Amino acid sequence: MVNQNGKVLHENDAHLSIRNRGYLYGDGLFETIKAVNGKIIFWEDHYFRLMASMRILRMEIPMNFSPEFLEQEITGLLEAKALLNKPVKININVHRKSGGMYLPEHREIEYMIRASEWEHPFYIFDETDCEVELFKDHFVNSGLLSTLKTNNKALHVLGSIFAEENGYDNCLLLNEKKSVIEGLNGNLFLVTGKTIKTPPLSEGCLNGIARKKLIGILKKLPEFTLEEVPISPFELQKADELFLTNVLLGIRSISKYRKKQFGNEVAKSLLAKLNASVRLG
């Protein structure tokens, strides 16, 4: 079952036009969300990020697209799929209506909401190895569009293929200034002693929800100094820990980059605090 433009349909009955602008031109956005027992985690942050992204792409936001309306649309789909009492991954896709070439005929949007069961209700620390390498074939542009979750993810697809072909678990991406900005599926944090660094949004990294939440947590911890600064590839092997954040996994520690093995004690402690920030009541 999916929700297509407000109608809950069987997946086989949901269809996109061959002129769909998300397919033809990447003229679309997506939002990946986690819910537990019908409660959407960090819903306000997801909602406002989606609305801000739609404005940046000059999409016309429907008058009824309130937080309450979209939350009801999601909840209705979870109920139809008998997922209200389970941990769930939710995808919201928004694209401009068909018509036009680069210049769209319309500014109005259409949307699709999908949901599938997720493994864990809370963030679980993954103890398995995670070896990474730099992906240097292509670079992320350090501009506003790179901070959005748009359909233009060719670089991340190619990076994922590169990682699989070379036996890596993930890759770190570079911007055109050769600064390290993020992983293939998460924002990057670097720990050296009591200093924790993460690239600023001006470097082109994704405006991640888990990133935002963790930054808020770190600013309240007197034992750490948080710096939002560009990160050079040369800093990676000098770090004590490297880890990635996203809303589905929480925090994923990197165990190896080239010849350097990393610890994970800070990441573990921060994951516990991230879990504590999730309100399910």
Side-chain angles (χ1 to χ4, degrees):
M1 308 289 284
V2 299
N3 180 319
Q4 185 174 24
N5 299 319
K7 296 181 179 180
V8 177
L9 307 169
H10 289 284
E11 289 192 15
N12 290 340
D13 295 325
H15 302 287
L16 295 176
S17 167
I18 60 171
R19 299 181 67 205
N20 178 274
R21 294 188 59 85
Y23 167 70
L24 292 178
Y25 305 112
D27 190 6
L29 298 159
F30 68 96
E31 196 74 21
T32 305
I33 301 169
K34 186 176 182 181
V36 179
N37 298 331
K39 176 69 175 181
I40 304 171
I41 296 174
F42 308 141
W43 171 235
E44 183 176 284
D45 296 284
H46 281 290
Y47 173 79
F48 285 112
R49 180 173 70 173
L50 179 61
M51 295 302 106
S53 299
M54 291 171 67
R55 290 189 184 98
I56 291 169
L57 291 191
R58 304 283 198 240
M59 291 178 171
E60 185 173 309
I61 300 174
M63 292 295 292
N64 65 339
F65 254 41
S66 66
E68 295 77 17
F69 169 77
L70 283 178
E71 188 171 9
Q72 289 173 0
E73 293 286 277
I74 293 169
T75 302
L77 178 62
L78 297 184
E79 185 175 11
K81 297 193 69 172
L83 292 173
L84 276 177
N85 298 313
K86 296 179 180 180
V88 180
K89 172 188 174 183
I90 299 159
N91 294 95
I92 302 177
N93 288 80
V94 176
H95 54 267
R96 219 181 307 261
K97 284 186 176 180
S98 299
M101 299 178 71
Y102 286 154
L103 177 64
E105 289 181 9
H106 312 282
R107 301 296 172 92
E108 295 89 351
I109 59 95
E110 297 177 328
Y111 64 95
M112 181 90 72
I113 305 174
R114 295 172 290 126
S116 57
E117 188 171 351
W118 193 249
E119 187 175 0
H120 299 292
F122 295 101
Y123 294 130
I124 304 297
F125 194 82
D126 190 343
E127 297 280 3
T128 60
D129 290 340
C130 179
E131 183 177 358
V132 303
E133 180 53 89
L134 296 178
F135 181 58
K136 297 183 288 186
D137 291 0
H138 306 280
F139 303 107
V140 177
N141 288 319
S142 56
L144 181 61
L145 289 180
S146 296
T147 70
L148 311 181
K149 298 198 77 169
T150 70
N151 287 13
N152 298 288
K153 293 297 179 183
L155 191 151
H156 296 72
V157 172
L158 293 174
S160 299
I161 293 171
F162 171 86
E164 182 187 55
E165 290 179 343
N166 291 278
Y168 298 112
D169 301 293
N170 209 318
C171 280
L172 301 180
L173 304 179
L174 304 168
N175 64 16
E176 81 283 2
K177 296 176 286 188
K178 308 298 173 64
S179 294
V180 187
I181 62 163
E182 62 190 1
L184 292 170
N185 61 343
N187 288 104
L188 175 67
F189 287 78
L190 181 153
V191 183
T192 305
K194 295 299 182 180
T195 300
I196 299 180
K197 296 181 179 181
T198 192
L201 297 182
S202 58
E203 289 287 282
C205 64
L206 177 71
N207 185 12
I209 300 299
R211 173 190 183 274
K212 177 183 176 182
K213 291 298 181 183
L214 189 59
I215 286 175
I217 291 169
L218 286 168
K219 286 181 176 179
K220 297 177 182 177
L221 298 178
E223 63 267 36
F224 292 110
T225 299
L226 173 68
E227 297 181 358
E228 291 186 65
V229 293
I231 294 176
S232 163
F234 300 107
E235 295 183 65
L236 298 178
Q237 289 178 292
K238 298 178 182 179
D240 299 319
E241 295 187 30
L242 300 175
F243 60 83
L244 304 172
T245 62
N246 71 44
V247 291
L248 290 178
L249 301 176
I251 294 175
R252 179 69 165 104
S253 273
I254 292 170
S255 59
K256 185 179 181 182
Y257 167 66
R258 297 186 178 175
K259 295 182 179 181
K260 178 66 181 284
Q261 298 279 348
F262 300 97
N264 58 26
E265 291 307 309
V266 172
K268 282 183 177 179
S269 67
L270 292 176
L271 184 67
K273 291 178 171 57
L274 189 62
N275 267 321
S277 73
V278 177
R279 295 185 177 91
L280 298 179

